[in-house]
Amino acid sequence: MAYKNQQEFINALEKAGELLRIKAYVDPKLEMAEITDRVSKSGNGGKALLFENSGYDFPVLMNAYGSEKRICMALGVQHLDDVAKEIETLFKLLSAPKESITDKLKLLPKLSQFASWMPKVKSGRGECQEIIMQAPDLNRLPIITCWPKDGGPFVTLPIIHTKDPDSGTRNVGMYRMQLFGPTLTGMHWHKHKVSAKHFAAYKKKNIRMPVAVALGGDPVYAYSATAPLPENVDEYMLAGFLRKKKVELVKCITQPEIEVPADADFIIEGYVDPNDELIWEGPFGDHTGYYSLPDWYPRFHVTAITHRKNAIYPATIVGIPPQEDAWLGKATERIFLAPIKMMMIPEMVDMDMPVEGVFHNLVIAQIHKEYAGQGQKVMNAMWGAGQMMFNKILVLVDEGITIQDYPSLAKYVFSNLNPATDIYFSQGPMDVLDHSCSKLGFGGKMCIDGSKKFEEEIQQDAITITGNRQLIEKEIMLHFSEIKAVNISLLKKDIPCLLIAVKKNRSGHIRELHEKLCTLTDMESIKLILYVEHTVNPHDLPIALWRFCNNLDPKRDHIIYQRPSTLQPAKTYACMGFDGTIKTSMFDNFQRDWPNIIVADDMTIDAVDKKWDQLGIGPFIPSPSLKFKEQLYGEEAVAEYRS
């Protein structure tokens, strides 16, 4: 369904019992983020929050997309899979043979629907331009500061509009905007993004680049701005398809080359000058759960700010998962499954992106497998498909398992896995936020093929897993003092994998440790060992896997060990180790800075604790950051290594 504006969406949330109004004053600097972090992690995404007293003229809406129910409401569907089914039906209709006039006539209603989804530029002004600031001043907006080590406040849900200077093709994306002054922000578009390509084209022509930023409006706009569409597909056509009504656009006042949604709450107009010096932007807490490192980005100069009457400022936070952005990612996973199946990978059955994998780090793909090597064919196709090029760990399975049942999935994968032959490594473009890469935006990838193997894919002398799995933990702790904890819980579920927390103290330590561990006879029951920092609790699987995935460059950090089996004559034992610890220049020859984990500061936690009863949002929820403050985290561990 189409929402008339953001206020109508808020009304729908409240009617559904999905909104909490907070009337007490809450500071946009750190406090709103801390409250939202607590609520979003309180179970099933908590509730949407409307901070009515921000200290500014405008309330602040947060966590609006932060649950399966609310993202479905935003997209106007009962279930996220509904959109994929509709897209699949549409693809089949358009691609079916049109052998008769009847077949062609059947297509006409659908073509008419296509036309009804296309965005329309209307004359005059829109609701978003009801009020024009006499002198544009970003300081009049309740722009939030999320985390204590952020570079400053930044716009967190900007719907950014640019155009190709040659073709006039519009792009709508979402890139954070750090506030530097009343009319100046950074423009954090990564080099892989379409808006960055537009900027390069303007730079080549040596002309200013008009830009406009929308905030609010129909919630489908913010989702469409994050969607991984091909460059030649207008995001507002996707928005029109999702809301079943075309998006009405109006021309900007000071940047008339750019059109923006008429129903938006705010419009920030301006330009980027290619002759400007770049500005040092960041660091910022990011969706990885770590601070992204500062870097140089273009300057955005504001020429006008307009807004509708009774505008509400939308915002979000990103940090240690799960957060609101996980549901935006889940929507993309479900919606874009159909195009992937229909256009690129016909054998694709299903796909899942676990929250702990923060979108690009971990993707599970299920295929209909018919021949040897098909997993590798799919692997290469996926790494060549749009933003899937950023994927770090790809797990492939066939139709023998339900991929959303993670324990059963892991058991199935390991039952089909030979670590020596079924794990494939590559390298290529990576998300610039991936701190594990030795070089910015370029690093290693791996594919774990957990599908059932055809005869051609089987190594004949590989051992059959056996061994005494109960003695492993005691033996390991007895022999290796640097090992601080071992999680053997997966072994009890017939998953031959260990998580080991290690206090690394020398160059090559993890490789040396892995090779020594694999000489133990009882280790022949293990196929994979995941090594994490000694500050990580390996018994907390979601957190340990989140830390592991973030800190791993698979191509650089894998250690395969093979030897003749001591239990099965003429057979070969193989065990793969992965070093998911912090990397340093001293022990790993890692030359980039290593970021910190995102946690709230004590002052903010105390301030929110004291005002919790005034918020009127239910029983007290302790800060999620306390879990990480109880242990040494990234910054202190790196300092310890470098001292």
Side-chain angles (χ1 to χ4, degrees):
M1 65 169 287
Y3 291 98
K4 183 179 178 182
N5 49 42
Q6 183 174 241
Q7 183 61 59
E8 188 173 53
F9 177 53
I10 291 171
N11 293 343
L13 290 175
E14 189 161 33
K15 186 177 180 181
E18 288 292 320
L19 180 80
L20 297 174
R21 292 178 179 267
I22 299 177
K23 299 185 181 301
Y25 168 69
V26 178
D27 196 334
K29 183 176 181 180
L30 301 177
E31 289 186 2
M32 286 185 182
E34 170 64 10
I35 293 168
T36 304
D37 192 38
R38 297 187 190 198
V39 171
S40 67
K41 289 185 169 70
S42 64
N44 298 317
K47 304 289 185 183
L49 301 174
L50 185 61
F51 296 94
E52 296 185 323
N53 186 352
S54 66
Y56 293 77
D57 293 336
F58 309 103
V60 178
L61 176 67
M62 297 186 70
N63 204 32
Y65 305 91
S67 71
E68 183 173 9
K69 182 176 181 179
R70 292 199 294 283
I71 191 66
C72 285
M73 289 179 65
L75 301 183
V77 295
Q78 292 296 315
H79 305 284
L80 292 175
D81 284 328
D82 293 347
V83 183
K85 290 173 184 175
E86 187 176 358
I87 293 174
E88 192 165 351
T89 301
L90 183 62
F91 266 99
K92 287 178 179 177
L93 176 65
L94 295 175
S95 60
K98 312 296 184 295
E99 296 178 352
S100 68
I101 188 67
T102 303
D103 292 332
K104 294 174 183 177
L105 288 173
K106 286 180 181 178
L107 192 59
L108 289 179
K110 190 56 67 176
L111 294 177
S112 176
Q113 273 190 309
F114 266 121
S116 72
W117 300 333
M118 297 301 290
K120 174 188 176 182
V121 180
K122 69 175 191 176
S123 59
R125 293 185 177 176
E127 289 179 35
C128 62
Q129 297 162 329
E130 288 176 333
I131 297 174
I132 303 172
M133 281 192 187
Q134 292 296 328
D137 185 355
L138 292 167
N139 291 315
R140 292 177 59 186
L141 305 183
I143 299 175
I144 68 173
T145 302
C146 295
W147 302 106
K149 294 186 179 179
D150 281 356
F154 73 102
V155 183
T156 58
L157 276 178
I159 304 164
I160 297 176
H161 302 70
T162 64
K163 281 190 175 180
D164 186 294
D166 297 312
S167 67
T169 303
R170 173 175 36 244
N171 181 69
V172 183
M174 187 171 288
Y175 322 104
R176 72 171 180 238
M177 298 164 53
Q178 181 177 348
L179 179 64
F180 288 103
T183 59
L184 180 65
T185 78
M187 190 58 78
H188 186 95
W189 47 50
H190 296 167
K191 55 189 174 184
H192 304 108
K193 304 300 184 181
V194 176
S195 289
K197 293 183 179 180
H198 289 178
F199 177 58
Y202 279 94
K203 192 170 186 177
K204 188 175 181 180
K205 292 177 176 291
N206 196 31
I207 56 176
R208 284 181 175 179
M209 176 180 180
V211 180
V213 181
L215 295 164
D218 190 317
V220 79
Y221 304 155
Y223 170 71
S224 297
T226 70
L229 290 170
E231 288 186 28
N232 60 345
V233 177
D234 192 328
E235 284 80 7
Y236 285 133
M237 191 180 90
L238 172 64
F241 165 73
L242 291 170
R243 70 202 297 259
K244 298 298 178 280
K245 183 179 180 182
K246 68 179 61 181
V247 178
E248 289 192 337
L249 305 171
V250 292
K251 289 182 177 293
C252 287
I253 295 171
T254 60
Q255 307 295 333
E257 305 96 323
I258 305 293
E259 301 92 18
V260 292
D263 62 337
D265 284 61
F266 295 89
I267 300 295
I268 305 170
E269 302 179 14
Y271 65 86
V272 176
D273 190 335
N275 292 310
D276 274 349
E277 290 185 0
L278 300 177
I279 198 164
W280 188 245
E281 187 256 21
F284 283 102
D286 227 303
H287 71 273
T288 60
Y290 289 76
Y291 283 96
S292 60
L293 301 173
D295 208 344
W296 297 100
Y297 285 94
R299 299 168 185 251
F300 173 61
H301 300 273
V302 176
T303 55
I305 299 176
T306 69
H307 61 88
R308 59 179 301 233
K309 295 175 183 176
N310 303 315
I312 293 174
Y313 181 86
T316 189
I317 60 167
V318 290
I320 294 173
Q323 293 277 18
E324 180 177 12
D325 59 320
W327 292 105
L328 291 168
K330 188 58 67 174
T332 291
E333 170 206 302
R334 304 321 301 165
I335 290 172
F336 283 85
L337 176 61
I340 289 173
K341 288 167 61 176
M342 303 298 291
M343 298 181 67
M344 295 181 296
I345 308 172
E347 55 267 80
M348 182 77 77
V349 175
D350 202 356
M351 182 172 66
D352 187 74
M353 294 188 289
V355 170
E356 293 78 18
V358 291
F359 308 128
H360 59 278
N361 276 350
L362 178 60
V363 174
I364 301 162
Q366 185 176 42
I367 64 172
H368 176 63
K369 185 173 178 180
E370 298 178 293
Y371 53 83
Q374 193 170 3
Q376 291 70 61
K377 178 257 188 186
V378 170
M379 168 189 79
N380 289 308
M382 290 190 71
W383 284 341
Q387 292 191 36
M388 199 60 73
M389 68 179 173
F390 299 134
N391 170 237
K392 181 191 289 189
I393 303 171
L394 175 63
V395 179
L396 287 171
V397 293
D398 52 44
E399 295 171 282
I401 194 67
T402 301
I403 63 174
Q404 286 79 18
D405 180 353
Y406 296 150
S408 297
L409 171 70
K411 184 177 178 180
Y412 186 81
V413 167
F414 276 93
S415 70
N416 295 317
L417 181 72
N418 179 345
T421 60
D422 298 333
I423 303 178
Y424 302 87
F425 298 95
S426 183
Q427 60 183 5
M430 299 297 292
D431 192 317
V432 299
L433 301 178
D434 191 318
H435 62 261
S436 71
C437 301
S438 297
K439 297 180 180 179
L440 179 68
F442 182 79
K445 309 168 183 289
M446 74 170 169
C447 173
I448 299 174
D449 185 355
S451 64
K452 286 186 178 178
K453 303 301 184 293
F454 287 86
E455 185 177 353
E456 301 92 325
E457 299 174 296
I458 296 174
Q459 178 186 350
Q460 297 300 327
D461 68 340
I463 68 167
T464 303
I465 289 295
T466 59
N468 186 342
R469 300 179 179 181
Q470 301 307 312
L471 296 178
I472 288 176
E473 182 177 14
K474 293 179 181 178
E475 190 171 359
I476 287 175
M477 298 293 287
L478 180 66
H479 283 82
F480 303 98
S481 61
E482 64 266 53
I483 293 178
K484 303 305 176 184
V486 180
N487 183 347
I488 64 167
S489 64
L490 296 177
L491 300 183
K492 299 172 183 177
K493 300 175 182 178
D494 293 324
I495 301 169
C497 177
L498 295 178
L499 275 79
I500 297 181
V502 182
K503 187 166 186 178
K504 190 166 59 175
N505 59 32
R506 58 187 179 275
S507 179
H509 190 169
I510 301 298
R511 176 174 295 276
E512 176 188 321
L513 174 62
H514 183 69
E515 291 174 352
K516 288 181 178 179
L517 276 171
C518 290
T519 63
L520 302 176
T521 299
D522 281 331
M523 290 297 291
E524 290 195 17
S525 62
I526 305 300
K527 290 186 177 183
L528 210 65
I529 304 178
L530 311 182
Y531 297 94
V532 293
E533 201 65 34
H534 69 284
T535 59
V536 178
N537 177 6
H539 299 284
D540 187 340
L541 271 176
I543 295 300
L545 290 175
W546 159 65
R547 294 284 297 270
F548 171 81
C549 290
N550 270 289
N551 292 347
L552 180 76
D553 181 311
K555 186 175 173 65
R556 181 194 65 213
D557 297 333
H558 77 276
I559 313 142
I560 184 66
Y561 183 86
Q562 297 184 76
R563 61 169 170 78
S565 170
T566 57
L567 300 175
Q568 301 177 41
K571 296 287 187 178
T572 300
Y573 165 61
C575 182
M576 180 70 77
F578 288 109
D579 180 0
T581 64
I582 290 171
K583 307 303 185 299
T584 67
S585 58
M586 180 181 296
F587 298 147
D588 308 283
N589 194 29
F590 189 86
Q591 301 305 317
R592 297 177 65 205
D593 289 333
W594 196 268
N596 303 322
I597 293 172
I598 304 165
V599 290
D601 58 28
D602 292 338
M603 186 178 298
T604 302
I605 293 172
D606 291 343
V608 170
D609 285 352
K610 289 174 182 175
K611 69 169 58 176
W612 190 269
D613 290 340
Q614 305 169 36
L615 301 178
I617 57 176
F620 177 76
I621 304 170
S623 174
S625 294
L626 295 173
K627 183 174 186 177
F628 298 94
K629 285 176 171 290
E630 290 173 354
Q631 38 177 293
L632 280 169
Y633 54 91
E635 177 189 28
E636 294 170 312
V638 172
E640 179 182 348
Y641 281 136
R642 291 176 173 170
S643 63

